[in-house]
Amino acid sequence: MFKHLIKLIWNRRKKNSLFLAEIVVSFMVIFILSSFLIFYYQNYRKSLGFNYENVWVLRYSNPPELKEIDSLVRYYDQVRNVLKSAPQVKSYSFSGGNFPYSNSISNSNLDYKDKSFTGVNVYSIEGDYPKVMETELVAGRWFTAEDSLNKHKPILITKTLSQEMFGADNPIGKITGKAEKEAEIIGVINDIKSDGDYLPSGNSMFSQLKPGDVKWAGRILIRVSPDADAAFESNLYKLLSNTMKGSSIELSHLYDIRASRNRQTTTPMLIFAIIASFLVFNVSLGLFGVLWYNINQRKGEIGLRRAIGASAFAVNRQLVTEALILTTFSLLIGVFFAIQFPLLKVFDLKSSVYFIAIFISCIFIYLLVFICALYPGKQAAAIMPAMALHEE
């Protein structure tokens, strides 16, 4: 039977070319969309590595009249006293401009023996940072005040970076970098997804802010109690404004910054999904029309099959099977192009993401063609032999 169907398809290859092209294009669109959706979903399932709830971000600038380091240190000591005295402030930490969801980039290379890791995300923080962000320590310890006196610069790294650098070996106490850039690993924390819920965590390291570094830190991360409301926020802003005279300050919520960062990621994909949906809908109408047209052109053939004893079910099955076989030929072409994505590292996603997307796209296309072929096949099966032969 299949040999006979393939022969029929081959004899109508010119008329089936449009069908083939529509399936290949639809498959590629669904494949690309599925790849990104799977990529986002896999990242979304992973832990954030910190808690953004009830964290406020204070952006500040240095007062122009203060130039000396000692003056700035005393100035920000007053800010610390204000934050300590605020009843609903649980903890705080000065931070560089690179913090979770900040859209700010601070990268560096991290070397260990013959290994070199580029594009490592660098966070400059204070010792109370784990209380503010509620990050989880996997091994080692956090920064202490005495670390600023160490010969080597103390750093913490994320779990994935530790595994890539040292494998199963204990990273604590290892010296990274060269010459004046040598640093000692004192702790390992869980990976953090700083670019949003849908993007990977990436490799990260944490360095300690010294007292004099507050002049360029520019941010204070503040964890407040859950009952902190708009009234407290207004009072805190007034207190800080009165204390930080000459500075421009801005208070925002990490929850809102996260939502904005996620929108930057999902909006382009949502637009692409809408466009893909319209395309698939139009292709569905096209497939339905092509199948309907082909059936109308084959009334004589269908009538003859019915006249020699073929049942309505057999006719319906033949037409649906023809469509699925033709779909298989189209998918073989589409899969050939899709396999090039992991080989050429297009979009730089994991190979498993592409293969799952190929499987999902094939299932989707088969279901789409089956549904589009089902009704025309049913209509063909209802053709009366006498009427079809009479028209011929």
Side-chain angles (χ1 to χ4, degrees), residues 14-268:
K14 290 184 179 180
K15 294 183 179 180
N16 290 329
S17 59
L18 178 60
F19 185 93
L20 281 166
E22 287 181 338
I23 294 298
V24 172
V25 172
S26 300
F27 171 81
M28 293 305 298
V29 171
I30 299 301
F31 164 71
I32 294 174
L33 178 63
S34 300
S35 296
F36 279 103
L37 291 178
I38 294 167
F39 173 70
Y40 287 157
Y41 176 71
Q42 289 180 346
N43 290 324
Y44 180 78
R45 291 184 58 190
K46 296 178 181 178
S47 172
L48 284 176
F50 62 93
N51 182 11
Y52 59 85
E53 296 282 357
N54 303 315
V55 176
W56 296 354
V57 181
L58 178 70
R59 293 175 171 85
Y60 66 86
S61 63
N62 295 319
E65 67 275 9
L66 298 180
K67 304 293 183 181
E68 300 295 329
I69 296 297
D70 292 340
S71 300
L72 285 170
V73 170
R74 289 193 297 270
Y75 175 84
Y76 288 112
D77 281 343
Q78 296 176 8
V79 177
R80 296 176 191 274
N81 292 332
V82 170
L83 293 174
K84 288 178 182 178
S85 63
Q88 290 171 297
V89 173
K90 299 177 66 176
S91 55
Y92 66 90
S93 171
F94 279 78
S95 169
N98 188 19
F99 61 92
Y101 311 131
S102 65
N103 246 347
S104 177
I105 298 175
S106 178
N107 290 339
S108 179
N109 296 341
L110 196 61
D111 302 322
Y112 180 72
K113 294 183 178 180
D114 58 341
K115 295 181 180 179
S116 181
F117 296 84
T118 60
V120 177
N121 212 359
V122 180
Y123 297 92
S124 300
I125 60 172
E126 286 189 321
D128 283 343
Y129 183 88
K131 296 179 182 178
V132 177
M133 302 303 294
E134 296 184 357
T135 51
E136 183 178 351
L137 193 66
V138 176
R141 61 177 178 82
W142 281 96
F143 300 116
T144 62
E146 293 75 18
D147 286 329
S148 59
L149 304 176
N150 290 352
K151 175 182 176 182
H152 298 112
K153 177 183 178 181
I155 61 171
L156 289 96
I157 60 175
T158 51
K159 185 177 180 180
T160 298
L161 180 58
S162 172
Q163 292 173 348
E164 292 179 0
M165 292 184 70
F166 308 105
D169 295 342
N170 183 12
I172 305 303
K174 295 288 196 306
I175 305 299
T176 66
K178 299 175 182 178
E180 69 277 0
K181 293 186 178 181
E182 286 186 340
E184 179 183 357
I185 299 174
I186 64 171
V188 178
I189 69 169
N190 276 328
D191 296 341
I192 62 169
K193 294 195 296 185
S194 62
D195 292 328
D197 297 350
Y198 305 100
L199 295 178
S201 56
N203 292 329
S204 302
M205 63 178 256
F206 295 79
S207 62
Q208 184 182 30
L209 282 173
K210 298 179 181 179
D213 293 337
V214 293
K215 66 177 182 179
W216 57 263
R219 306 289 186 275
I220 304 177
L221 304 178
I222 306 169
R223 173 163 291 279
V224 298
S225 56
D227 60 342
D229 53 12
F232 171 74
E233 182 179 354
S234 177
N235 291 334
L236 180 62
Y237 183 84
K238 290 178 181 178
L239 285 173
L240 292 171
S241 297
N242 293 331
T243 304
M244 305 176 71
K245 293 179 179 179
S247 298
S248 60
I249 64 173
E250 178 186 352
L251 196 60
S252 56
H253 296 194
L254 197 59
Y255 179 90
D256 297 329
I257 300 173
R258 165 185 171 268
S260 176
R261 190 71 178 88
N262 284 337
R263 280 195 298 271
Q264 293 179 20
T265 303
T266 57
T267 299

Side-chain angles (χ1 to χ4, degrees), residues 320-369:
V320 172
T321 305
E322 282 184 24
L324 293 179
I325 292 175
L326 194 58
T327 301
T328 302
F329 291 147
S330 303
L331 290 179
L332 290 175
I333 299 173
V335 169
F336 171 78
F337 288 108
I339 289 177
Q340 308 308 311
F341 280 65
L343 296 177
L344 300 176
K345 296 184 177 180
V346 181
F347 304 132
D348 199 23
L349 307 181
K350 291 182 179 179
S351 298
S352 59
V353 171
Y354 292 118
F355 292 125
I356 295 173
I358 289 173
F359 176 76
I360 292 175
S361 302
C362 288
I363 297 298
F364 178 86
I365 294 298
Y366 273 124
L367 288 175
L368 178 66
V369 173

Side-chain angles (χ1 to χ4, degrees), residues 12 15-16 287-303 315-320 322-323 372-383 388 391-392:
R12 301 174 58 85
K15 294 183 179 180
N16 290 329
L287 293 177
F288 186 86
V290 168
L291 293 171
W292 186 275
Y293 175 78
N294 288 341
I295 288 170
N296 287 330
Q297 294 295 310
R298 298 169 64 183
K299 279 187 175 181
E301 173 194 336
I302 296 171
V315 172
N316 188 6
R317 184 181 61 183
Q318 175 194 340
L319 295 174
V320 172
E322 282 184 24
C372 291
L374 202 58
Y375 183 73
K378 184 179 179 181
Q379 292 296 104
I383 294 175
E391 290 182 10
E392 287 293 314

